[in-house]
Amino acid sequence: MAEAEESPLVKALPPETDYLTYLTIVEYNLNKEQLPVLHTLLQDETLTTNIGWDLVGLLLPLLPESEQCLQDVAFLGNPRETVLKVAELLYEIGRRHVADDDDEEGGEGKGIDSEQGALEQEAKPRSALLALQFQSLLHMLCILHPRIKTQYPSRFLMTSVQAVVPAYKAVAHTAESIGAVLMLLKSLSGSSRPHLPPRKSQQAIPRVSDRISAPDPEAQTAAPGKEEEGLQKRILRSFVTHVAEIYIHSLNPAGETSQFAWSDRFFEKRYPERILPRQETYRSRFQKEADLERRDASISQILATDSDLTMPWQDLLECITEPDDELGANGSVVSLEELPLSRIGALYCVAARVATALLNDRPASINLSLFPQHEELASRFLDIEEGVASMVQTVDATLILGWAALEATDGVAEAETRAEFSSYLQRISFTSANMPLPSMRFQAHAFASAVLRGNPSSEARLDFIQDTLEHCPYANLKVTAVGWLKDEILMAFDVPLNNSSFQGTEGLRITNSTGDSSNAFAQPSALRACAPWLFATPDTSSMQDMATNFPFWLAALNLYYLLCSSPLLYKRLEVHRLAVEFNVDKDFVAVLAALVEKSIGTGPSQSSDIEKDFGAELHALDDVLARLRSLDVANAGPSD
């Protein structure tokens, strides 16, 4: 007690000095050893009201030991001035993060390794301190906002929310930051839902206590009107979309797929027969891996806040597809132009709701059509002009909404025009060709395949396959088109698709010997329309061209073998006539056979450079060619 009385913080207490002078003395003498003394002094409501807001910046660098004093300021200081100070410090966290990023970019290639290592070591504790400061400031906002009694609370709410968004971007990579944001969301929205269980952390800020706070010294008696309440909800709705975007983009992909694997999990549930034996599913991973479980829990709490704000799904969907943001306040006290709704965040909110419903056998409860609504979403979020979609989770969100729209029509995918259908399917297909993660490539392909098969017009399906073979610049999509053509032919003759990957004619069971007369793929004209690009003469003069086209040549050769190995398909689709008309055996099969013969040696010393680079592809071609030769189709073809 005697030591405390000797503290300069005690000796200089007003009225010994004025408040401004006292703040200067506190600034020069404050350290971690003086924090218990300051905490005791801050129990004086008058003192804290006058100087509390200016202490926040001094106390932040002393976290976590200074947290108790910051709570004193939040409960007893002037709430209006303190909210503005907290917002200022949050802005500073965001600006400091941007400045650090600029320094890193500007410093590339400069300095020596030891200096770089020292900077990295210094950056780690600095990043941890920023995250701790962010959590503490958000906990202060949870206390401060309910204390402000004004007719226009949206003024303070907008100030806080605008400051939190850039600060959250700076610290979103830390595990504890989402917990602090969720706590703030619940506090501002008035939600009574339980908080997310805290992660174990040595630096986590304590939960806000139930301590009694001082009244607002500038309280207004007039209550907010309905228009003001609606404005607050719109601000918070916009904030929720920004939180969703920042949180999801702060996460690493879940292995070979997106951060939440919504499409993967739905596909596993919808098509369990497609899961390989002993393959660990994403559904099981999200149920047993703590980090992935927590992702689902966090996004669920974000959605719960959105639900508390009574934002209808359809309204949120319209916000995503509107060309311009129409969330202005129409002359109210605060304009939302400076904090527009995050379109990507809104997309994530809708997609997460839909995914949760689909994965739990609940109706999606959203009126989303494949055409034109999902087509509009795809054109907005799957940008084929850039070649690669900017973020895998954006693609995942777009795909899961597409699955929901397709499920709502029982798998029927019919557009008003073939051009509209083709343009939409091209965008999905191009996405599958360019996705960096293997599982997301497959998911985009699986959805494109489902949409293609969902079109009731076989002519429209044929047009798209033919157009892909003729004009598509991506060889891997041409391989996909060959697979689509094969499946369409087999389905036209009622062949189960799981019987289509056979090694000989004995595995093929055709139940319809004549084919569906109304199906274009049961007619010879379908193959004839695709043949010029399907069986074009391979260009084997360039190693680069061979590297690109080997999978396509192999797919086309396998299809040709399938057609020749089935007596019924060979006859009904007039394969012999097609082979003669387009010189398939001479210009396609023989060229590949010559390439294999030239490239594959009889011993290690005779191996060519082509075999060294493309050994697996060459041996696969050789296998199909051997099976094709065994059919002796060049002379007569199989008989019925």
Side-chain angles (χ1 to χ4, degrees):
M1 181 65 70
E3 292 180 1
E5 292 176 355
E6 293 299 319
S7 168
L9 274 62
V10 175
K11 288 184 175 182
L13 271 173
E16 293 297 325
T17 60
D18 58 73
Y19 288 116
L20 184 60
T21 303
Y22 185 69
L23 274 171
T24 303
I25 294 172
V26 171
E27 181 179 358
Y28 278 99
N29 291 276
L30 188 60
N31 53 46
K32 291 185 178 180
E33 288 70 28
Q34 293 290 337
L35 288 174
V37 176
L38 182 61
H39 168 58
T40 301
L41 298 176
L42 289 177
Q43 305 314 304
D44 183 339
E45 185 178 321
T46 302
L47 175 68
T48 308
T49 299
N50 282 280
I51 70 168
W53 66 275
D54 223 5
L55 291 176
V56 181
L58 302 176
L59 291 168
L60 277 185
L62 301 177
L63 282 169
E65 290 83 356
S66 62
E67 175 62 21
Q68 200 172 30
C69 293
L70 287 168
Q71 295 278 309
D72 293 334
V73 174
F75 278 107
L76 302 176
N78 185 311
R80 298 164 186 249
E81 293 177 343
T82 307
V83 158
L84 297 178
K85 186 64 177 180
V86 168
E88 177 188 327
L89 293 167
L90 285 168
Y91 271 124
E92 182 60 31
I93 289 176
R95 283 196 297 267
R96 204 178 310 170
H97 173 68
V98 172
D100 288 345
D101 286 348
D102 291 342
D103 289 342
E104 288 177 8
E105 293 176 5
E108 288 180 1
K110 300 180 181 179
I112 58 176
D113 290 344
S114 59
E115 291 178 349
Q116 183 65 27
L119 288 173
E120 290 177 358
Q121 290 299 319
E122 180 184 348
K124 291 180 180 178
R126 182 173 57 187
S127 176
L129 179 59
L130 282 180
L132 203 59
Q133 291 174 351
F134 174 79
Q135 295 170 54
S136 182
L137 291 173
L138 260 62
H139 287 191
M140 290 184 72
L141 291 178
C142 292
I143 301 167
L144 291 165
H145 275 282
R147 290 184 57 204
I148 298 175
K149 305 302 178 185
T150 174
Q151 190 175 359
Y152 303 108
S154 59
R155 292 171 173 172
F156 297 95
L157 178 61
M158 175 61 86
T159 299
S160 294
V161 165
Q162 284 181 312
V164 170
V165 169
Y168 181 37
K169 287 182 181 178
V171 300
H173 61 280
T174 60
E176 295 80 13
S177 60
I178 183 60
V181 172
L182 288 172
M183 181 180 291
L184 177 64
L185 274 172
K186 290 177 176 62
S187 175
L188 296 178
S189 65
S191 174
S192 59
R193 299 173 188 267
H195 294 299
L196 192 68
R199 295 176 72 97
K200 293 182 179 179
S201 172
Q202 295 179 343
Q203 291 192 311
I205 294 296
R207 295 290 182 186
V208 176
S209 67
D210 295 329
R211 176 177 171 184
I212 298 176
S213 59
D216 181 359
E218 304 173 52
Q220 297 176 352
T221 56
K226 289 186 177 180
E227 184 178 356
E228 172 67 17
E229 291 176 353
L231 178 56
Q232 291 180 72
K233 282 190 175 183
R234 290 198 297 274
I235 294 172
L236 288 175
R237 288 168 186 163
S238 182
F239 183 40
V240 166
T241 64
H242 284 277
V243 168
E245 178 186 0
I246 297 169
Y247 172 63
I248 290 177
H249 289 176
S250 73
L251 301 171
N252 292 322
E256 295 184 342
T257 189
S258 69
Q259 291 91 324
F260 281 86
W262 288 324
S263 299
D264 294 89
R265 288 192 275 172
F266 171 76
F267 189 83
E268 290 167 351
K269 181 179 176 60
R270 181 70 172 78
Y271 303 102
E273 70 279 2
R274 301 285 296 273
I275 300 174
L276 298 176
R278 295 181 296 279
Q279 177 187 9
E280 184 178 28
T281 65
Y282 284 103
R283 293 184 69 199
S284 65
R285 285 188 59 198
F286 272 82
Q287 290 171 354
K288 68 181 184 181
E289 294 183 24
D291 176 62
L292 299 183
E293 275 189 292
R294 192 168 184 86
R295 292 184 185 190
D296 272 348
S298 295
I299 201 68
S300 294
Q301 294 226 7
I302 293 173
L303 295 180
T305 305
D306 188 35
S307 178
D308 290 335
L309 296 172
T310 61
M311 178 97 170
W313 289 36
Q314 208 62 31
D315 289 354
L316 200 56
L317 184 62
E318 290 172 4
C319 290
I320 300 171
T321 55
E322 282 177 359
D324 296 305
D325 219 308
E326 301 293 340
L327 293 180
N330 299 322
S332 298
V333 176
V334 178
S335 170
L336 293 185
E337 293 177 359
E338 296 180 9
L339 188 73
L341 176 138
S342 164
R343 291 192 187 279
I344 291 181
L347 172 73
Y348 292 159
C349 287
V350 175
R353 284 177 165 182
V354 168
T356 301
L358 293 176
L359 294 175
N360 291 280
D361 295 320
R362 298 199 303 264
S365 301
I366 186 168
N367 184 21
L368 176 67
S369 63
L370 199 63
F371 296 98
Q373 285 182 303
H374 192 262
E375 180 195 14
E376 292 172 1
L377 286 180
S379 65
R380 182 181 293 277
F381 294 107
L382 304 181
D383 188 1
I384 63 174
E385 297 299 327
E386 296 181 3
V388 180
S390 57
M391 296 170 190
V392 291
Q393 188 58 51
T394 305
V395 175
D396 190 19
T398 306
L399 290 178
I400 194 64
L401 290 176
W403 280 116
L406 197 59
E407 289 284 294
T409 61
D410 294 326
V412 177
E414 190 171 12
E416 289 189 7
T417 65
R418 289 189 186 180
E420 182 183 17
F421 177 78
S422 180
S423 174
Y424 171 70
L425 204 50
Q426 280 179 1
R427 191 176 297 274
I428 304 295
S429 300
F430 281 16
T431 300
S432 72
N434 289 289
M435 285 304 300
L437 297 178
S439 187
M440 286 307 301
R441 283 200 299 271
F442 173 77
Q443 290 305 322
H445 159 72
F447 180 66
S449 299
V451 171
L452 179 65
R453 291 170 188 159
N455 193 314
S457 169
S458 59
E459 288 83 4
R461 301 196 300 272
L462 175 59
D463 283 350
F464 180 77
I465 293 173
Q466 179 184 345
D467 182 72
T468 303
L469 290 170
E470 181 179 0
H471 299 294
C472 181
Y474 302 107
N476 56 349
L477 277 188
K478 290 185 177 181
V479 174
T480 298
V482 175
W484 286 334
L485 180 59
K486 178 200 71 175
D487 290 346
E488 288 287 356
I489 290 172
L490 295 179
M491 287 190 293
F493 289 91
D494 294 338
V495 179
L497 295 186
N498 57 357
N499 291 324
S500 62
S501 57
F502 61 96
Q503 297 297 315
T505 57
E506 67 278 1
L508 188 62
R509 297 194 301 272
I510 297 182
T511 58
N512 185 348
S513 61
T514 60
D516 182 357
S517 59
S518 64
N519 190 323
F521 294 95
Q523 312 304 320
S525 56
L527 264 180
R528 191 170 291 109
C530 298
W533 303 278
L534 193 61
F535 303 119
T537 304
D539 181 3
T540 61
S541 61
S542 165
M543 294 284 281
Q544 183 176 354
D545 285 343
M546 285 192 289
T548 302
N549 291 307
F550 259 126
F552 172 68
W553 296 337
L554 181 60
L557 191 62
N558 265 311
L559 175 62
Y560 188 53
Y561 169 70
L562 167 66
L563 297 170
C564 293
S565 64
S566 166
L568 188 138
L569 291 180
Y570 189 83
K571 178 180 179 180
R572 299 297 182 196
L573 298 180
E574 301 179 0
V575 177
H576 179 67
R577 178 181 173 185
L578 177 139
V580 173
E581 182 179 348
F582 294 98
N583 288 321
V584 177
D585 294 309
K586 178 182 177 182
D587 294 343
F588 180 70
V589 178
V591 172
L592 292 178
L595 173 65
V596 171
E597 184 177 355
K598 178 181 69 173
S599 304
I600 298 181
T602 58
S605 62
Q606 296 177 326
S607 296
S608 67
D609 291 338
I610 297 178
E611 184 180 10
K612 291 176 183 177
D613 292 336
F614 308 111
E617 293 87 345
L618 287 167
H619 285 281
L621 283 174
D622 189 37
D623 176 67
V624 183
L625 288 167
R627 287 188 278 120
L628 194 57
R629 281 192 295 268
S630 69
L631 299 175
D632 195 25
V633 295
N635 294 326
S639 58
D640 267 342

